[in-house]
C-alpha cells in the first residue's frame, strides 16, 4: 500500500544490467518527507544503482518506483560521487547548467544561482574556475548545482568519500544545517558507518549484491548534532556499535 507521507517508494525492485549482473533484487523501501535517510552497505551492493533509479537515471528490471504526486523529476537534485564540474566554465556557469538546459536565461537565473552559492559558502567564487578550488569547494559547487533548481528530494551518492576527514566533517555539518533550514528530503549513500550515524535519522542497511534492505535502524539523537558534540558522545558510540553489528549480520559475518 502507498505510504501517504512518502516522497518516493520502491516496491520489490530488481535491476539486472546488460552484462548479466544482478544489482538489486526485491528492494523495497519508502522515503518519508523531510527525512534524512542513509543507504549503507559494502561497495557493489547496489546503493548507487538504487539512487539512480530513484532519480529516473535508468529503469528497473522489475518491481515499481512511485514518486509522490507533488514530486516531479524536476524536483529531484542529484549529487554524484565526483564533482563532475566543467573545467572550462566558471563556478557560476557550472551551477547555471541545469537552468540553462531548462531554457532559463542567465539574467533570469542569476538570483537563484547567487542564492545557491551563498547557501554552500561560495558566494565569493562565482567567477572562479574549478582548477582554482580545493576538493571541498568543488564539491560545494556540485551541491550548489543540485540545489539551484529548488529540489524537494536531494539524492547524494557518497559525495564526501574522497575528501580529507576535516573537510568531510565540516561538510557534514553544513549539509545538516542546510537540510534543516531548507526542509529537504535527503537520501544519502555511504559505506561509512560513522558518517551514516552522524547524519541520519534513519539508516537502511543493504545486503551484498543483489542488494535489498536487510534492516532499518532509527537514529534518535536530536539535531543540531555538531553543536551538541554528538561525535564524542556515548550515544554516538552506541549507535555506531549497533549499526556495525547489523551491517556485519547483513554481510553474513
Amino acid at each position: 500500500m502507498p505510504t501517504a507521507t512518502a516522497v518516493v517508494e520502491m516496491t520489490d525492485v530488481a535491476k539486472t544490467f546488460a552484462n548479466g549482473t544482478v544489482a538489486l533484487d526485491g528492494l523495497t523501501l519508502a522515503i518519508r518527507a523531510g527525512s534524512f535517510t542513509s543507504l549503507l552497505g559494502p561497495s557493489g551492493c547496489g546503493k548507487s544503482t538504487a539512487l539512480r533509479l530513484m532519480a529516473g537515471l535508468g529503469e528497473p528490471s522489475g518491481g515499481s518506483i512511485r514518486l509522490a504526486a507533488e514530486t516531479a523529476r524536476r524536483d529531484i537534485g542529484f549529487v554524484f560521487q565526483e564533482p563532475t564540474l566543467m573545467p572550462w566554465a566558471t563556478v557560476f556557469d557550472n551551477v547555471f547548467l541545469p537552468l540553462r538546459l531548462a531554457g532559463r536565461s542567465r539574467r533570469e537565473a542569476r538570483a537563484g544561482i547567487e542564492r545557491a552559492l551563498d547557501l554552500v559558502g561560495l558566494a565569493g567564487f562565482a567567477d572562479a574556475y574549478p582548477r582554482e578550488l580545493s576538493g571541498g569547494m568543488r564539491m560545494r559547487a556540485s551541491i550548489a548545482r543540485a540545489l539551484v533548481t529548488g529540489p524537494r528530494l536531494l539524492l547524494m551518492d557518497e559525495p564526501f568519500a574522497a575528501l580529507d576527514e576535516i573537510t568531510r566533517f565540516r561538510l557534514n555539518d553544513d549539509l545538516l544545517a542546510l537540510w534543516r533550514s531548507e526542509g529537504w528530503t535527503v537520501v544519502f549513500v555511504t559505506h561509512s558507518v560513522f558518517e551514516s550515524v552522524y547524519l541520519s535519522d534513519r539508516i537502511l542497511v543493504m545486503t551484498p549484491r543483489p542488494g535489498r534492505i536487510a534492516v532499518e535502524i532509527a537514529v534518535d539523537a536530536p539535531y543540531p548534532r555538531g553543536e551538541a558534540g554528538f561525535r564524542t558522545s556515548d550515544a554516538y558510540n552506541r549507535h555506531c556499535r549497533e549499526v556495525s553489528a547489523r551491517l556485519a549480520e547483513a554481510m553474513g559475518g
Side-chain angles (χ1 to χ4, degrees), residues 3-241:
T3 302
T5 58
V7 174
V8 59
E9 291 181 294
M10 306 178 79
T11 304
D12 202 26
V13 167
K15 179 62 177 180
T16 301
F17 290 104
N19 64 2
T21 299
V22 182
L24 302 172
D25 187 20
L27 177 68
T28 296
L29 59 82
I31 304 298
R32 68 179 184 275
S35 65
F36 197 121
T37 302
S38 282
L39 297 181
L40 174 70
S43 296
C45 75
K47 304 184 299 297
S48 296
T49 299
L51 206 68
R52 287 171 177 269
L53 292 177
M54 287 184 204
L57 302 176
E59 295 293 329
S61 305
S64 64
I65 302 173
R66 173 185 171 274
L67 293 177
E70 66 274 14
T71 304
R73 291 294 181 193
R74 65 178 178 274
D75 297 320
I76 299 175
F78 199 107
V79 181
F80 295 90
Q81 293 181 23
E82 298 294 332
T84 61
L85 301 175
M86 300 177 294
W88 60 86
T90 64
V91 167
F92 183 99
D93 283 324
N94 270 286
V95 176
F96 176 44
L97 178 62
L99 299 180
R100 179 169 64 81
L101 294 175
R104 300 277 297 278
S105 70
R106 287 172 65 88
R107 185 178 63 184
E108 291 174 322
R110 181 170 294 278
I113 293 169
E114 290 174 349
R115 181 176 187 273
L117 290 175
D118 185 55
L119 283 173
V120 301
L122 289 180
F125 293 88
D127 295 327
Y129 288 87
R131 65 179 178 273
E132 300 171 323
L133 305 179
S134 68
M137 293 170 73
R138 287 194 292 272
M139 184 52 69
R140 288 177 187 272
S142 183
I143 293 171
R145 184 175 57 193
L147 303 186
V148 75
T149 59
R152 288 190 176 93
L153 175 62
L154 184 62
L155 307 177
M156 309 187 77
D157 189 6
E158 298 191 60
F160 309 140
L163 301 176
D164 64 87
E165 190 173 50
I166 294 172
T167 302
R168 187 171 182 163
F169 283 4
R170 184 181 302 120
L171 288 178
N172 283 171
D173 287 335
D174 290 347
L175 174 60
L176 286 180
L178 286 171
W179 165 64
R180 297 179 73 230
S181 67
E182 299 299 306
W184 303 320
T185 303
V186 178
V187 183
F188 190 95
V189 163
T190 183
H191 57 256
S192 168
V193 168
F194 307 104
E195 185 170 56
S196 69
V197 170
Y198 186 73
L199 292 173
S200 313
D201 55 32
R202 185 176 65 143
I203 299 169
L204 302 179
V205 178
M206 294 183 65
T207 64
R209 190 173 62 230
R212 64 184 187 280
I213 303 302
V215 66
E216 173 182 332
I217 302 170
V219 182
D220 56 7
Y223 296 93
R225 292 180 176 172
E227 297 173 11
F230 181 50
R231 277 197 183 93
T232 58
S233 69
D234 291 339
Y236 177 72
N237 290 329
R238 184 173 66 253
H239 280 299
C240 288
R241 288 194 298 270

